[in-house]
Structures are given as structure tokens and as C-alpha cells.
Amino acid sequence: MTNEHVRVYVPATVPMLTLLRTAGLPAASAHAVTPALREWYAEGDEEELEYVAFTRAAQDALQLLRADDAAPRRRVVVSADLPATTVGPGDVELGASTVELAGPVPVRAVAAIHVDGVDAAKDVAAAAGVVTEALAGDPDAQFAVDGAEDHELEWYDVTELDQLLGTR
């Protein structure tokens, strides 16, 4: 049995964070520094590789927002350290960072919660509305997604979860 852990970046929405306290954050997939990502970006150091995986999780959070009109227009990425045995391979295509999770992410595994500031809501709303078109190659839609990505996500410690949920 191994004690090895893997840092994963789980896309989420603000309402999904309420589940952290009880059942854990439901997630079928997340992003991480995978062998496929390492091979694609061989000259990148660990920090750069983690940033790529984190950014991809933030992009996936836009898709979650597109599917949930009631959620505040703020991207959420939950950084968690999970046992390697619960993180399976996802897409193995060169450069892929997707991993499959064996179950919900428990609050005890959360290293940090990253959330857009309120000032990003307008740009995030615009991006969430066209994220599918951006993924299909529409340059105007990509411009809107880039506008959201210009905003850095704010960092919260897991102990600030209640405070964070109070600022929805």
C-alpha cells in the first residue's frame, strides 16, 4: 500500500462548495499533472505544469456555469491532495491533464479553494455563455473566454469555507 498523494484541480461552482461539508465535492473528473502533460510540456517545471492543469480546471468550471444558470458567475477550482489509488487515468492524448476520480473529494483532502472575485462576474458570465463555441474554435467566443481568464482566481483556505459561502 502506498502513501503517495496526487494534487488534483477540481472544477466546481459556488453552490457545489456547500457539499464539501457533508458528502464531499462530487466530481467524476479533474485535472492534474499527468504523464501525458509532462511529455507534451517537457521543458516546463513542476510549477508551470501545475498552472496548466489548474487553468484547464478553471476552463471546465465555465462549462459547469453554463449548465447551471442559478450559480453565481464565479469560476471555482478546488485544489485537493488525494490518494494516488483514487485517481485514475483520464484522457491519455499527448498534453492531456484530465484524470478520473474514484469518488467525491472529502473536505479533509482540500488544500485550497480558488474562486473568482465578484469583480470578475460580468466577464465570467460572458465566457460561460459561449464556452462551447470557444472550444469549437469560434474566435469571438474565445475572446470572451480570454476575458474571463484575465481574472486571477482568489485563494481561500478550507477553513474559510463558511465565510466564502456567505459571500455568494
Side-chain angles (χ1 to χ4, degrees):
M1 190 111 138
T2 179
N3 288 338
E4 186 178 337
H5 282 75
V6 176
R7 171 67 51 99
V8 297
Y9 304 96
V10 185
T13 63
V14 172
M16 290 171 70
L17 291 177
T18 61
L19 300 172
L20 263 177
R21 279 192 237 118
T22 55
L25 183 66
S29 64
H31 291 272
V33 177
T34 64
L37 181 60
R38 284 186 197 285
E39 185 178 342
W40 170 74
Y41 197 45
E43 61 279 347
D45 64 22
E46 193 67 18
E47 190 174 315
E48 290 171 314
L49 293 169
E50 288 177 357
Y51 185 75
V52 170
F54 176 87
T55 300
R56 290 179 179 169
Q59 291 168 347
D60 284 357
L62 286 174
Q63 294 181 51
L64 294 173
L65 288 172
R66 182 176 180 128
D68 184 356
D69 290 336
R73 305 287 92 179
R74 297 166 74 189
R75 296 169 298 165
V76 176
V77 175
V78 175
S79 298
D81 296 315
L82 298 176
T85 56
T86 65
V87 180
D91 186 356
V92 294
E93 182 179 321
L94 185 62
S97 61
T98 306
V99 293
E100 298 302 319
L101 304 181
V105 176
V107 70
R108 70 181 177 279
V110 175
I113 302 167
H114 311 270
V115 183
D116 272 310
V118 176
D119 63 322
K122 182 178 176 183
D123 289 335
V124 171
V130 297
V131 66
T132 304
E133 292 82 353
L135 290 170
D138 180 317
D140 292 332
Q142 185 60 52
F143 183 77
V145 170
D146 291 345
E149 290 177 356
D150 286 344
H151 296 275
E152 293 290 326
L153 278 74
E154 298 173 355
W155 183 93
Y156 293 87
D157 186 80
V158 70
T159 60
E160 298 175 285
L161 181 59
D162 290 333
Q163 175 189 349
L164 178 61
L165 292 172
T167 62
R168 306 193 324 182

